[in-house]
């Protein structure tokens, strides 16, 4: 069975094209940022959020080594996503990726929180283009992780099914990460 990260990348790679604007809402070690940067190419743009400057620094070094210069680094809470999009004059993004929990290899006490995450998800969905996709990989093994995942699933279950298509992938055990994929199928903003 493919890993959930591979499934998330597969879902995103089906819809993202050179020149698109995309968001990595949780930079972490920079793997998704690098992946997105390669997908959108030099004509595209990646907005990369993380509350930990060490995550930004590590990911920036990773990308510097690959020669990519299409990333805007944002050392801030992803809850400010709507504010940044407005400041940057961006109204449409093709993809938004989340990896929730804590920075692998970092301080396990610094974790994502349900309120800021739901705010960022809502903002990301509002900016998502038709046929755009959002992936949310929720790791539930840390304090508050299960509650965060369940709150996100409840939120996504309330989305208008005429506008969004959702897919939930749960692992083999109750402690397994969960991959939630949301695709915008229509434009409610008409």
């Amino acid at each position: 069975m493919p890993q959930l990260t591979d499934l998330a990348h597969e879902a995103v790679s089906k819809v993202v094209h050179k020149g698109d604007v995309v968001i990595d809402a949780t930079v972490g070690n920079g793997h998704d940022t690098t992946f997105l940067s390669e997908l959108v190419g030099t004509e595209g743009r990646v907005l990369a959020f993380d509350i930990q400057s060490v995550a930004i620094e590590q990911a920036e070094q990773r990308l510097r080594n690959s020669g990519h210069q299409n990333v805007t680094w944002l050392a801030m809470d992803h809850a400010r996503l709507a504010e940044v999009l407005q400041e940057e004059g961006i109204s449409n993004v093709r993809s938004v990726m989340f990896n929730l929990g804590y920075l692998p290899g970092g301080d396990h006490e610094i974790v994502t929180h349900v309120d800021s995450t739901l705010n960022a998800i809502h903002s990301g969905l509002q900016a998502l283009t038709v046929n755009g996709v959002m992936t949310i990989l929720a790791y539930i093994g840390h304090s508050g992780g299960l509650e965060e995942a369940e709150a996100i699933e409840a939120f996504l279950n309330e989305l208008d099914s005429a506008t969004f298509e959702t897919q939930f992938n749960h692992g083999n055990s109750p402690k397994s990460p969960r991959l939630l994929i949301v695709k915008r199928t229509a434009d409610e903003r008409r």
Side-chain angles (χ1 to χ4, degrees):
M1 178 176 164
Q3 291 205 11
L4 294 179
T5 52
D6 294 335
L7 292 175
H9 284 196
E10 181 182 326
V12 170
S13 65
K14 287 180 180 178
V15 302
V16 172
H17 309 290
K18 299 288 184 199
D20 283 338
V21 176
V22 295
I23 298 170
D24 184 352
T26 51
V27 168
N29 285 320
H31 298 291
D32 287 343
T33 312
T34 303
F35 166 73
L36 290 168
S37 176
E38 291 169 357
L39 280 180
V40 301
T42 56
E43 315 85 46
R45 186 167 177 204
V46 181
L47 300 178
F49 289 80
D50 206 290
I51 60 169
Q52 295 186 69
S53 58
V54 65
I56 297 284
E57 291 163 11
Q58 291 171 353
E60 195 172 10
Q61 181 62 43
R62 176 186 302 277
L63 259 76
R64 193 175 307 120
N65 292 340
S66 69
H68 295 276
Q69 298 180 356
N70 55 358
V71 178
T72 300
W73 300 102
L74 301 154
M76 64 179 67
D77 192 322
H78 54 220
R80 295 180 57 195
L81 196 148
E83 172 189 336
V84 170
L85 291 175
Q86 183 175 14
E87 287 173 1
E88 296 287 329
I90 298 169
S91 57
N92 292 299
V93 298
R94 180 66 65 178
S95 182
V96 183
M97 298 187 78
F98 289 85
N99 274 300
L100 305 176
Y102 53 79
L103 175 63
D107 183 347
H108 292 201
E109 297 300 314
I110 302 173
V111 297
T112 55
H113 296 281
V114 68
D115 291 338
S116 64
T117 298
L118 286 175
N119 189 326
I121 289 170
H122 179 265
S123 298
L125 290 174
Q126 293 303 307
L128 206 60
T129 62
V130 174
N131 295 320
V133 68
M134 176 182 287
T135 64
I136 306 161
L137 191 49
Y139 293 92
I140 61 175
H142 65 282
S143 176
L146 179 59
E147 294 81 4
E148 183 178 38
E150 289 175 345
I152 293 165
E153 288 182 17
F155 174 80
L156 297 180
N157 278 325
E158 296 297 319
L159 293 176
D160 179 0
S161 62
T163 305
F164 296 102
E165 179 181 293
T166 58
Q167 176 186 343
F168 297 171
N169 298 286
H170 292 211
N172 298 330
S173 80
K175 293 193 183 263
S176 294
R178 300 174 182 189
L179 175 61
L180 316 168
I181 301 173
V182 184
K183 183 174 183 179
R184 179 182 279 278
T185 57
D187 192 350
E188 69 184 9
R189 300 173 285 187
R190 285 177 258 164

